[in-house]
Amino acid sequence: MIRSLYTRVVLTFLVSVLAGTIIAFFVTFWVFEEKLNENLRTTLFNFGQDIVRVYETIPLREADLFVSGMKQLDSYYIRIFDETGQFQSYGTLNGQKPVTVTMDQVRKVLGGEVVQVNPSSVSMNLLGLRLKTEMGMKAMFVEPLMYPSVSFAQKWLFTFLTYSLVTGSLLILVASIFLVRPIKKLTKATRRIAVGDFNVKLNIKQKGELGTLARSFEEMMHDLQQLEQMRREFVTNVSHEVQSPLTSISGYAIALKQVDIADNERSRYLDIIIAEADRMSKMSDSLLKLSLLESQSQQMRLVTFSLDEQIRRVIVAIQPQWSARNIRFELNLKTVRLLADQDQLNQVWTNILGNSIKFSKNGSVINVSIKQDIKSVTVRISDTGIGISLEDQKRIFERFFKADRSHSRKYGGSGMGLAIVKQIVSLHQGDIRVESEPGQGTTVIVTLPITTPPD
């Protein structure tokens, strides 16, 4: 099996040229075969008739001398038979084997018939005509010899094809270098990417299929580079988020080993260990849920339900979070029926409203409204909390990202909530965006299609 693309391209060209030449020759021969045969038979018959008239016009001896000196004998071989089968020949065979003439054919010609042997063949043809001489009737057989011009044409054609094949092979050898070069670059780049090196420049400026392949490869390489960066950030963030509770759990567990520790201190240490373990458990659950959403292995269960009623129930379910801080809700919820995954959207409103409560001041107001048009429904959730800077707004939907890390210990959380929200909204083919100013509060805007088409 030939593995080199360069060698395969060259061999394919050579085989194609040879096969095409052979096929073209036979097809051309087949198309013009009848015309070639007709021309050859006509020429041969006319020449034979001329010889007959020579013998009928002048005496036998003079006719023999005349025929033996004809220039056409370079192209024809003549045999004149008598009744006994003896013959006299004119012309030189030049190594060509003459067509065998039988006595039966001689007798037919002497009887006045015109004999043609292999009349449909171009390479072999024989014409038999009767001669009337002073010595009586004779049978003349004429066959064409290989024309010198035909021989020259064959040699010229063979030489032309040879040089054409050699020249074409040299050209395809050079052309194949330019054809295979970008593929070799792609192969080399693939090997570098396989070992983790994404800083590869192809510099392939060709157009057509190779150019499209090169541009697609560069786009894929850029995406892989981003994925690798995200993977590294993810590992770093997970390590950082896990390290903090592990450190607390380890430290307080060591402290519990002290013998003289007071009961109230022991109870406080245990509470901290339990809280940190619960924090790790929630983070693990969030990671698992986000992974399932991104892989779409969790099938969406689409049902038609009342969106406004769902949001009201979520607000009631999280009442302990906002009633303890005297936070009020102002609702402007238009009645909307929506086809979506009810459990997933329940997670969306829980996470968004939980963030609004978390970052709002005590005694503040959170506004929730629903608007509907022909194709979509828009939910706006606004608070008057600490707000988000313009720079952080671009990253708040990334996993583990916390807009205000200086307050992360105060407000808690793993930074996974909005990443889950973003993925759920995307699965519903919707859109989510944020409008916010530091110190002025935040508005989260979720737009969903009325009818969510399933995958």
Side-chain angles (χ1 to χ4, degrees), residues 227-242 283 286-288 290-291 294 399-400 416:
L227 287 174
E228 177 63 16
Q229 181 65 27
M230 292 173 60
R231 184 190 68 81
R232 292 177 180 176
E233 291 180 357
F234 175 76
V235 172
T236 301
N237 291 331
V238 170
S239 300
H240 178 268
E241 294 295 333
V242 171
M283 183 176 64
S286 297
L287 277 173
L288 179 60
L290 184 59
S291 176
E294 289 178 342
R399 61 181 75 190
F400 296 114
M416 299 288 292

Coordinates of all heavy atoms in Angstrom, one line a residue, residues 227-242 283 286-288 290-291 294 399-400 416:
L227 N -10.5 26.3 24.1 CA -10.9 25.2 25.0 C -9.8 24.8 26.0 O -10.1 24.5 27.2 CB -11.3 24.0 24.1 CG -12.7 24.1 23.4 CD1 -12.9 22.9 22.5 CD2 -13.8 24.2 24.4
E228 N -8.6 24.8 25.5 CA -7.5 24.4 26.4 C -7.3 25.5 27.5 O -7.1 25.2 28.6 CB -6.2 24.3 25.5 CG -4.9 24.0 26.3 CD -5.0 22.7 27.1 OE1 -5.8 21.9 26.7 OE2 -4.2 22.5 28.0
Q229 N -7.5 26.8 27.1 CA -7.4 27.8 28.1 C -8.5 27.7 29.1 O -8.3 27.9 30.3 CB -7.5 29.2 27.3 CG -7.4 30.4 28.3 CD -6.0 30.5 29.0 OE1 -5.0 30.0 28.4 NE2 -6.0 31.1 30.1
M230 N -9.7 27.4 28.6 CA -10.9 27.2 29.5 C -10.6 26.0 30.4 O -11.0 26.0 31.6 CB -12.2 27.0 28.7 CG -12.6 28.3 27.9 SD -14.0 27.9 26.9 CE -15.2 27.4 28.0
R231 N -10.0 24.9 29.9 CA -9.8 23.8 30.7 C -8.8 24.1 31.8 O -9.0 23.7 33.0 CB -9.2 22.7 29.8 CG -9.0 21.3 30.5 CD -8.2 20.4 29.7 NE -6.8 20.8 29.5 CZ -5.8 20.6 30.3 NH1 -6.1 20.0 31.5 NH2 -4.6 21.1 30.1
R232 N -7.7 24.9 31.5 CA -6.8 25.2 32.5 C -7.4 26.1 33.5 O -7.1 25.9 34.7 CB -5.6 25.9 31.8 CG -4.7 25.0 30.9 CD -3.6 25.8 30.2 NE -2.8 24.9 29.4 CZ -1.8 25.3 28.6 NH1 -1.5 26.6 28.5 NH2 -1.2 24.4 27.8
E233 N -8.2 27.1 33.1 CA -8.9 27.9 34.1 C -9.8 27.1 34.9 O -9.9 27.4 36.1 CB -9.6 29.1 33.3 CG -8.7 30.1 32.6 CD -9.5 31.1 31.9 OE1 -10.7 31.0 31.9 OE2 -8.9 32.0 31.3
F234 N -10.5 26.2 34.3 CA -11.4 25.3 35.1 C -10.7 24.5 36.1 O -11.1 24.5 37.3 CB -12.2 24.4 34.1 CG -13.1 23.4 34.8 CD1 -14.3 23.8 35.3 CD2 -12.7 22.1 34.9 CE1 -15.1 22.9 35.9 CE2 -13.5 21.2 35.6 CZ -14.7 21.6 36.1
V235 N -9.6 23.9 35.8 CA -8.8 23.1 36.7 C -8.3 24.0 37.9 O -8.4 23.7 39.0 CB -7.6 22.4 36.0 CG1 -6.7 21.8 37.1 CG2 -8.2 21.4 35.1
T236 N -7.8 25.2 37.5 CA -7.3 26.2 38.5 C -8.5 26.6 39.4 O -8.3 26.7 40.6 CB -6.7 27.4 37.8 OG1 -5.7 27.0 36.9 CG2 -6.2 28.4 38.8
N237 N -9.6 26.9 38.8 CA -10.8 27.4 39.7 C -11.3 26.3 40.6 O -11.6 26.5 41.7 CB -11.9 27.9 38.7 CG -11.5 29.2 38.0 OD1 -10.8 30.0 38.5 ND2 -12.1 29.4 36.9
V238 N -11.4 25.1 40.0 CA -11.8 24.0 40.8 C -10.9 23.7 42.0 O -11.3 23.5 43.1 CB -12.0 22.7 40.0 CG1 -12.2 21.5 40.9 CG2 -13.2 22.8 39.0
S239 N -9.6 23.7 41.6 CA -8.6 23.5 42.7 C -8.7 24.6 43.8 O -8.6 24.3 45.0 CB -7.2 23.5 42.1 OG -7.0 22.5 41.1
H240 N -8.9 25.8 43.3 CA -9.0 26.9 44.3 C -10.2 26.8 45.1 O -10.2 27.0 46.4 CB -8.9 28.3 43.5 CG -9.1 29.5 44.4 ND1 -10.3 30.0 44.8 CD2 -8.1 30.2 45.1 CE1 -10.1 31.0 45.6 NE2 -8.8 31.2 45.8
E241 N -11.4 26.5 44.5 CA -12.6 26.5 45.2 C -12.6 25.3 46.2 O -13.2 25.4 47.3 CB -13.8 26.4 44.2 CG -14.0 27.6 43.4 CD -14.4 28.8 44.2 OE1 -15.0 28.6 45.2 OE2 -14.1 29.9 43.7
V242 N -12.0 24.2 45.8 CA -12.0 23.0 46.6 C -11.0 23.2 47.8 O -11.2 22.7 48.9 CB -11.7 21.7 45.8 CG1 -11.5 20.5 46.7 CG2 -12.8 21.5 44.9
M283 N -21.2 22.5 45.4 CA -20.4 22.8 44.3 C -20.3 21.5 43.4 O -20.3 21.6 42.2 CB -19.0 23.2 44.7 CG -18.1 23.6 43.6 SD -16.5 24.2 44.2 CE -15.8 22.8 44.9
S286 N -23.5 21.2 41.5 CA -23.6 22.2 40.4 C -22.7 21.8 39.2 O -23.1 22.0 38.1 CB -23.1 23.6 41.0 OG -24.0 24.0 42.0
L287 N -21.5 21.3 39.5 CA -20.6 20.9 38.4 C -21.2 19.8 37.6 O -21.2 19.8 36.4 CB -19.3 20.5 39.0 CG -18.2 21.6 39.3 CD1 -17.0 21.0 40.0 CD2 -17.8 22.3 38.0
L288 N -21.8 18.8 38.3 CA -22.4 17.7 37.6 C -23.6 18.1 36.8 O -23.8 17.7 35.6 CB -22.9 16.6 38.7 CG -23.6 15.4 38.1 CD1 -22.7 14.7 37.1 CD2 -24.1 14.5 39.2
L290 N -24.1 21.2 35.5 CA -23.7 21.9 34.4 C -23.1 21.0 33.3 O -23.2 21.2 32.1 CB -22.6 23.0 34.8 CG -22.1 23.9 33.8 CD1 -23.2 24.7 33.2 CD2 -21.1 24.9 34.4
S291 N -22.3 20.0 33.7 CA -21.8 19.0 32.8 C -22.8 18.3 32.0 O -22.7 18.1 30.8 CB -20.9 18.1 33.5 OG -20.4 17.1 32.7
E294 N -24.4 20.8 29.5 CA -23.5 21.1 28.3 C -23.4 19.9 27.4 O -23.2 20.1 26.2 CB -22.1 21.5 28.8 CG -22.1 22.9 29.5 CD -20.7 23.2 30.1 OE1 -19.9 22.3 30.2 OE2 -20.5 24.4 30.3
R399 N -18.3 29.8 34.5 CA -18.3 29.0 35.7 C -17.2 29.5 36.7 O -16.1 29.9 36.3 CB -18.1 27.5 35.4 CG -16.8 27.2 34.7 CD -16.7 25.7 34.4 NE -17.5 25.4 33.3 CZ -17.8 24.1 33.0 NH1 -17.3 23.1 33.7 NH2 -18.6 23.8 31.9
F400 N -17.5 29.5 38.0 CA -16.6 29.9 39.1 C -16.3 31.4 39.1 O -15.6 31.9 40.0 CB -15.3 29.2 39.0 CG -15.4 27.7 39.2 CD1 -15.1 26.8 38.2 CD2 -15.9 27.2 40.4 CE1 -15.2 25.5 38.4 CE2 -16.0 25.8 40.6 CZ -15.7 24.9 39.5
M416 N -21.3 29.2 40.2 CA -21.8 28.3 39.2 C -23.2 28.6 38.8 O -23.7 28.1 37.8 CB -21.7 26.9 39.8 CG -20.3 26.4 40.1 SD -19.3 26.1 38.7 CE -20.2 24.7 38.0

